[in-house]
Amino acid sequence: MFVHAVDYQENPWLSKIIYLSLIFFTFVLIKKWFSSQKPFKNTPPSPPKLPLIGNLHQIGSKPHKNLQSLAQKHGPLMLLHMGNVPLLVVSSPDLAEEILKTHDPIFSNRPKSSVANGIYECKDIAFSAYGEYWRQVKSICVFQLLSNRKVQSFRNVREEEVSLMIEKIKNSCNEKKVINLGEMFAFLANDIICRVALGKKYNDGEKGKKFKEVLETLGLLLGAFNVGEFIPWLFWIKYVNGMDAKVRKVAKQIDDFLEFVVEEHKNEIRRMGNEDNKNGKDFVDVLLEIHRSEDSGFALDSISIKAVILDMFAAGTDTTYTLIEWTLSELIKHKNIMLKLKNELKTLPKIHSTITEDDLEKCQYLKAVIKESLRMHPPLPLLVPHESTQDVKLLNYDISAGTRVVVNVWAIGRDPSLWEDPEKFLPERFLNTHVDFKGQHFQLIPFGAGRRGCPGASFAMGIVELVLANLVLSFEFELADGVSNEDLDMSEGDGITIHKKFPLVVIASCDSTLNL
Ligand code: HEM
């Protein structure tokens, strides 16, 4: 076969056709290139970003504060780029409602966390992907572990543990001992959750003590920055900087302890012959019952049981104790508010040596104080990140599937267009209003809202109200080292849960006006 060379000069039409085809082809290529670079999407305003890292450098150690400053410049719906990952930052109640109510099903996924994945393969409630598995474990949590009836059934546990703590503080009064209340609240929250979830405190033995320490490490790891989650080709850094090894170690320690607890429960049930013979079922009992039950229609395997139990500690301890610590700190700092609350507690129909939960229903000022504390010091200032599963429009902006979303609850709580004097602690603003934290009023959503909202709010409130009421009624507090109460340092620490930077350390004296 022989192909002739074409003489273009002899055939001018052919050269024109080739020339036009080339122009057309180049035009198509350029268009394609541009559309792959810029999909002509109307994306929300973004701060300028750096190559490779995007806006990662603007997050800092206090993300809620830095994101608030950025939102003040770029608006309440802002798109950042964390390396390769788009991050939508929401800082107004209306937009929070769009995410957590109007488009809730689209935004109910969680981004994959390599730490949670390394512990129980994200089979817990907080980190599992939105889907059938999450729906099943969340519904077990809402209806069988943390329902109002179940929370009520643990009332004696709360009252006993709070009484024990009050006794401990009373004993320190005579000697004018300096006490670290921050630490006491952490032990209290942990002990209550231990008894409710595992059936006993486990704080005497080595295993229990170690578990508390391991949980603290887990909290740090969950809050630690893992660059590989944002810049995928840097995935190997976690192997070099020791993060992967730490996660494996913590995972093993957690599993050793929870496996031991679950086995103990199984043995006890075997000994009794039937789980129904057991008085007062704890969470492990309830989960084992579902595991065994054939008609629940859901296979709860042993990893899921341990993952759900772990969630109760990881999500419930830190958040609850930090709220108690911030609220008491605000009360100590504001003498007039402390007095007003004391007076409300003293007017309860009957003063017991300790207040019980029945009395608390009537305490409107106590409830207002706690709401004000949640407004100013939401324990999780950025909610837990959500992730969109479909493209969606918000305020006419295009939001792509796979975008991470954080709601800056802290910034909403301090927005001067929503709250008068937002930097002042004024519980009165919550008297005579219906504004509550149960996920209906988007200016106050410290527990989130919608499908992914916190299932532990009433459990936590049961503890927080009881502790504060008893402390305020029973004691006067002064700060150690002669610092005046008004000068109490209210700086925030770092981490996903915001604690006080310096724990609340006080000298307590028994309130002389009470006949205790
Ligand atoms: C003052 C105490 C507490 C606060 C402020 C709090 C706050 C929150 C927040 C903001 C979320 C994420 C909501 C979202 O993603 O939109 C959450 C989720 C969760 N909380 Fe709480 N929480 C508290 C106590 C508790 C307690 C005591 C428990 C259990 C004993 C608990 C269990 C959970 C669980 C399992 C989730 C995950 C829900 C899901 O992803 O579907 N929390 N909490």
Side-chain angles (χ1 to χ4, degrees):
M1 293 270 288
F2 186 71
V3 180
H4 289 281
V6 180
D7 186 342
Y8 294 113
Q9 278 180 349
E10 273 179 22
N11 193 345
W13 278 107
L14 190 61
S15 78
K16 268 193 189 132
I17 286 170
I18 290 175
Y19 182 66
L20 282 174
S21 306
L22 265 178
I23 292 180
F24 177 74
F25 191 59
T26 314
F27 175 76
V28 169
L29 269 183
I30 290 173
K31 190 163 180 249
K32 204 163 173 186
W33 187 80
F34 266 107
S35 63
S36 73
Q37 294 302 302
K38 273 199 173 37
F40 297 116
K41 283 194 167 169
N42 180 25
T43 53
S46 300
K49 54 180 181 172
L50 293 176
L52 193 70
I53 61 168
N55 304 101
L56 273 174
H57 62 296
Q58 288 168 303
I59 299 297
S61 63
K62 303 263 186 300
H64 54 291
K65 288 191 176 166
N66 297 335
L67 293 176
Q68 180 202 39
S69 311
L70 285 174
Q72 280 161 354
K73 279 191 216 134
H74 301 278
L77 190 68
M78 180 173 67
L79 186 67
L80 268 63
H81 295 89
M82 306 284 100
N84 287 9
V85 178
L87 175 76
L88 192 66
V89 182
V90 170
S91 313
S92 80
D94 293 352
L95 286 158
E97 185 167 356
E98 286 285 300
I99 302 278
L100 303 171
K101 188 173 172 188
T102 318
H103 299 293
D104 192 17
I106 294 177
F107 287 104
S108 281
N109 202 20
R110 294 274 193 229
K112 232 183 175 39
S113 149
S114 59
V115 176
N117 199 35
I119 310 284
Y120 281 128
E121 303 161 16
C122 289
K123 285 182 111 176
D124 65 327
I125 305 157
F127 289 101
S128 57
Y130 181 57
E132 195 44 37
Y133 176 81
W134 167 81
R135 215 166 278 126
Q136 296 279 3
V137 278
K138 178 92 182 229
S139 119
I140 290 173
C141 182
V142 169
F143 297 110
Q144 309 214 38
L145 305 182
L146 295 168
S147 66
N148 282 342
R149 202 170 58 86
K150 197 76 184 164
V151 170
Q152 268 308 309
S153 76
F154 291 123
R155 172 189 166 150
N156 66 320
V157 174
R158 288 188 292 274
E159 292 184 350
E160 276 169 30
E161 291 301 321
V162 172
S163 292
L164 278 175
M165 187 188 76
I166 296 289
E167 276 314 304
K168 236 186 244 166
I169 302 177
K170 274 184 193 161
N171 292 339
S172 78
C173 281
N174 296 338
E175 299 163 42
K176 292 253 163 211
K177 254 194 195 160
V178 174
I179 42 178
N180 183 338
L181 281 181
E183 196 179 81
M184 269 194 180
F185 298 154
F187 273 104
L188 175 80
N190 190 65
D191 285 351
I192 293 178
I193 295 187
C194 244
R195 283 184 65 184
V196 162
L198 313 181
K200 61 181 183 186
K201 280 202 258 187
Y202 287 98
N203 58 4
D204 295 333
E206 250 332 283
K207 272 190 165 32
K209 272 193 204 133
K210 211 165 163 195
F211 183 58
K212 192 171 173 293
E213 283 162 26
V214 172
L215 284 176
E216 280 161 22
T217 316
L218 172 64
L220 293 177
L221 286 172
L222 283 170
F225 177 67
N226 175 10
V227 70
E229 277 180 23
F230 303 103
I231 306 175
W233 61 268
L234 292 179
F235 74 95
W236 47 269
I237 288 196
K238 66 178 180 182
Y239 301 107
V240 178
N241 67 9
M243 186 159 181
D244 186 65
K246 276 187 206 151
V247 173
R248 280 164 197 265
K249 188 171 169 201
V250 163
K252 170 142 181 27
Q253 288 170 323
I254 289 174
D255 193 54
D256 283 351
F257 177 69
L258 291 181
E259 187 60 41
F260 164 79
V261 172
V262 171
E263 274 310 306
E264 249 191 2
H265 278 71
K266 284 184 182 165
N267 289 339
E268 202 188 341
I269 292 166
R270 263 183 232 124
R271 243 197 337 269
M272 287 204 251
N274 183 347
E275 62 211 347
D276 293 339
N277 296 340
K278 195 175 174 191
N279 269 340
K281 288 184 184 140
D282 57 51
F283 291 176
V284 177
D285 292 322
V286 175
L287 294 171
L288 282 173
E289 207 173 293
I290 297 170
H291 169 68
R292 266 189 289 269
S293 143
E294 281 169 8
D295 45 31
S296 70
F298 174 56
L300 192 69
D301 63 21
S302 76
I303 293 189
S304 309
I305 293 178
K306 291 180 277 185
V308 170
I309 292 294
L310 178 60
D311 249 8
M312 302 297 107
F313 285 93
T317 317
D318 250 23
T319 44
T320 305
Y321 98 71
T322 201
L323 175 59
I324 303 172
E325 191 177 21
W326 279 116
T327 315
L328 190 67
S329 300
E330 289 288 4
L331 289 169
I332 288 176
K333 205 171 163 68
H334 297 93
K335 198 174 164 192
N336 53 337
I337 299 174
M338 175 77 102
L339 259 178
K340 196 166 167 182
L341 180 56
K342 228 181 229 295
N343 287 338
E344 176 179 71
L345 297 167
K346 281 182 185 171
T347 58
L348 290 174
K350 197 167 150 213
I351 296 178
H352 313 266
S353 60
T354 52
I355 296 178
T356 63
E357 290 187 15
D358 288 336
D359 300 325
L360 296 177
E361 264 317 294
K362 301 144 205 144
C363 296
Q364 291 313 310
Y365 196 63
L366 172 65
K367 290 179 194 301
V369 165
I370 296 171
K371 282 184 196 170
E372 181 66 342
S373 183
L374 283 166
R375 176 187 73 80
M376 290 191 79
H377 310 289
L380 295 176
L382 293 178
L383 296 188
V384 178
H386 290 227
E387 189 181 75
S388 60
T389 44
Q390 286 173 33
D391 291 353
V392 62
K393 271 199 181 289
L394 278 185
L395 288 187
N396 238 1
Y397 291 116
D398 297 305
I399 312 297
S400 306
T403 301
R404 284 187 189 204
V405 184
V406 290
V407 179
N408 195 343
V409 171
W410 186 90
I412 294 175
R414 302 213 178 204
D415 183 342
S417 70
L418 301 168
W419 309 96
E420 209 179 316
D421 289 330
E423 297 299 327
K424 289 194 180 150
F425 190 78
L426 298 171
E428 282 68 17
R429 69 173 94 238
F430 285 107
L431 293 175
N432 309 317
T433 93
H434 294 300
V435 175
D436 210 339
F437 47 71
K438 294 183 180 154
Q440 303 300 321
H441 305 105
F442 287 83
Q443 64 273 47
L444 188 70
I445 44 168
F447 295 98
R451 286 168 169 72
R452 280 287 184 173
C454 176
S458 31
F459 184 89
M461 279 304 132
I463 303 173
V464 175
E465 289 183 359
L466 193 66
V467 175
L468 287 168
N470 278 292
L471 287 171
V472 169
L473 187 70
S474 314
F475 304 106
E476 309 276 359
F477 299 99
E478 56 184 282
L479 300 180
D481 300 330
V483 180
S484 81
N485 285 11
E486 300 83 62
D487 294 332
L488 175 57
D489 190 324
M490 300 292 272
S491 312
E492 296 176 351
D494 299 338
I496 40 171
T497 308
I498 343 177
H499 298 284
K500 272 183 92 270
K501 183 169 182 180
F502 306 105
L504 180 60
V505 176
V506 299
I507 300 166
S509 48
C510 293
D511 188 332
S512 50
T513 62
L514 284 172
N515 210 2
L516 296 173

